[in-house]
Amino acid sequence: MSIDSYETSRKRSDEIRADLSEHPEKYTMLTGDRPTGRLHLGHYFGTIRERVRLQDLGVTTRIIIADYQVITDRDTTENVADNVRNMVIDYLACGIDPEKTIIFTHSAVPALNQLMLPFLSLVTESELMRNPTVKAEMEASGHVLSGLLLTYPVHQACDILFCKGNIVPVGKDQLPHIEQTRLIARRFNERYGHVFPEPDGLLNDAPAIPGLDGRKMSKSYGNAIALSATAEETAKLIKKSQTDSERFITFDPEGRPGVSALITTAALCTGRTEQDIAAEIGDGGSGALKKYVTESVNGYLEPIRAKRQELAQDMAYIEDVLHDGNRRANEIADATLDEVRETMGMVY
């Protein structure tokens, strides 16, 4: 992505943010996660907290649990059902309100997936091949490029456009997906008639959430604190995280990634700056730092975990939330597909 197009996206994102609190009713937000494992602290500070804020502001919110996208780069669906249900529990424990926000899964909404056919006719092979996120996903998975992974951005366009989503919270690296969706919406509208908005990326201002080893927090790296982890499991994870031999604690992400990742984790959970925390720990060493981080994380997650435990006792309610979300998403998708077919002259 060129610097110019990033700056344009940033400017537009800032304008939308300024308008959101004044006119939340103008916006429909689509966002979601792949159920490849348990949600963690990185997901919470990176996206979930912002979703709750926008929902509570009065923005129309839709959250997709992208179960079909699990098989873009994996050979099994073994734990998907369990991950989906735990994702719903995490969302609700963090403050997503199923009365205000529709939570649904790909596989339960046929009309959404049927949009793939007209949408695929609107993009060229070279446009699909150019998407940097697809290349990054392929390299990370170590898999060959499947047809589903290649067309992943088109499937995401279906997710966004089936509900006429016009804002999508994203990080900078996901902007190419939004550009692809805008292109598909524009080409459809020009070719057949106006149906879809051209959505904008709402750029996420959350810092990159480091894992306990200084790399990006990720389930696959084993460096993540799951929202479903107990206080004891969290303490154990933090205790065994890598620091270094220097006793005096300083915040230096380049030179001291392990130590700095711990400080950033504590800063996010306490609202303090990294510099303040490092100065306070000082020559207390990594032992004092790990103790402070453990207390900060467990203190922050305590109400979320209490709510989570309560929700997990009532799996019938979790099933109801999912079934109701899928029902509501199907109503929207069916209406959009009817409109698409009518606009294309395919009603017989």
Side-chain angles (χ1 to χ4, degrees):
M1 164 163 281
S2 72
I3 290 170
D4 283 353
S5 58
Y6 172 69
E7 287 308 322
T8 304
S9 300
R10 164 58 69 190
K11 185 168 178 285
R12 180 73 187 121
S13 175
D14 292 344
E15 286 166 1
I16 291 167
R17 277 197 186 281
D19 191 47
L20 271 170
S21 44
E22 298 290 318
H23 304 287
E25 73 288 345
K26 282 165 47 178
Y27 298 97
T28 295
M29 173 186 78
L30 184 286
T31 181
D33 303 283
R34 292 200 309 162
T36 53
R38 298 299 170 87
L39 293 176
H40 53 63
L41 217 52
H43 293 118
Y44 178 79
F45 285 113
T47 60
I48 296 172
R49 188 168 61 166
E50 173 76 343
R51 293 172 194 176
V52 173
R53 191 185 75 80
L54 292 172
Q55 164 199 272
D56 293 347
L57 209 53
V59 172
T60 300
T61 48
R62 318 277 187 236
I63 298 179
I64 187 164
I65 301 180
D67 55 349
Y68 272 158
Q69 286 175 6
V70 170
I71 53 173
T72 53
D73 59 358
R74 291 169 198 239
D75 299 331
T76 178
T77 53
E78 194 183 348
N79 300 310
V80 168
D82 183 54
N83 291 340
V84 166
R85 291 180 178 95
N86 272 285
M87 216 164 242
V88 177
I89 295 171
D90 283 334
Y91 290 152
L92 302 188
C94 291
I96 294 294
D97 179 350
E99 296 296 314
K100 298 176 183 171
T101 297
I102 298 175
I103 302 169
F104 65 101
T105 57
H106 261 151
S107 59
V109 189
L112 180 158
N113 296 295
Q114 201 174 324
L115 290 173
M116 276 286 274
L117 294 170
F119 284 5
L120 280 168
S121 74
L122 299 168
V123 291
T124 65
E125 181 193 14
S126 60
E127 283 165 347
L128 291 172
M129 296 297 287
R130 270 203 306 270
N131 194 302
T133 324
V134 167
K135 290 178 191 164
E137 291 275 345
M138 183 183 72
E139 283 161 16
S141 73
H143 276 56
V144 295
L145 182 63
S146 70
L148 189 57
L149 181 53
L150 179 63
T151 56
Y152 181 31
V154 182
H155 202 191
Q156 284 199 322
C158 300
D159 300 341
I160 297 163
L161 296 176
F162 96 95
C163 62
K164 312 271 179 91
N166 57 4
I167 54 168
V168 186
V170 288
K172 182 181 177 181
D173 60 340
Q174 293 160 308
L175 279 171
H177 285 292
I178 303 300
E179 284 307 313
Q180 188 98 71
T181 301
R182 288 173 63 84
L183 188 70
I184 287 168
R186 191 178 317 132
R187 285 179 181 166
F188 184 94
N189 293 343
E190 285 168 357
R191 189 175 294 184
Y192 301 112
H194 196 279
V195 172
F196 298 111
E198 290 183 33
D200 287 292
L202 194 61
L203 279 157
N204 195 333
D205 293 323
I209 318 296
L212 294 172
D213 55 2
R215 293 185 291 176
K216 179 184 171 185
M217 189 173 281
S218 167
K219 291 166 281 197
S220 52
Y221 291 155
N223 63 1
I225 298 168
L227 298 177
S228 55
T230 63
E232 294 73 27
E233 287 165 346
T234 301
K236 203 175 286 184
L237 262 173
I238 292 169
K239 192 174 182 182
K240 69 174 191 184
S241 63
Q242 291 290 313
T243 50
D244 55 40
S245 56
E246 197 177 321
R247 181 167 180 81
F248 194 81
I249 298 301
T250 55
F251 181 65
D252 175 9
E254 292 296 312
R256 308 183 72 185
V259 166
S260 300
L262 286 171
I263 297 171
T264 295
T265 302
L268 285 164
C269 291
T270 58
R272 298 178 67 192
T273 68
E274 282 103 342
Q275 289 74 15
D276 273 359
I277 292 167
E280 183 182 301
I281 305 289
D283 58 9
S286 64
L289 174 62
K290 287 178 178 182
K291 182 173 183 288
Y292 181 78
V293 176
T294 301
E295 287 167 1
S296 303
V297 172
N298 282 337
Y300 190 91
L301 289 180
E302 193 177 353
I304 292 172
R305 284 169 172 164
K307 180 72 176 160
R308 207 186 179 287
Q309 212 167 359
E310 186 189 317
L311 288 160
Q313 302 304 309
D314 189 358
M315 289 309 289
Y317 172 65
I318 299 304
E319 296 290 333
D320 285 348
V321 167
L322 202 48
H323 291 158
D324 189 54
N326 285 338
R327 179 189 60 76
R328 289 156 74 195
N330 270 298
E331 286 175 5
I332 295 166
D334 288 345
T336 301
L337 185 61
D338 284 349
E339 190 181 355
V340 163
R341 288 169 59 223
E342 198 172 322
T343 306
M344 294 176 76
M346 289 182 166
V347 179
Y348 317 114

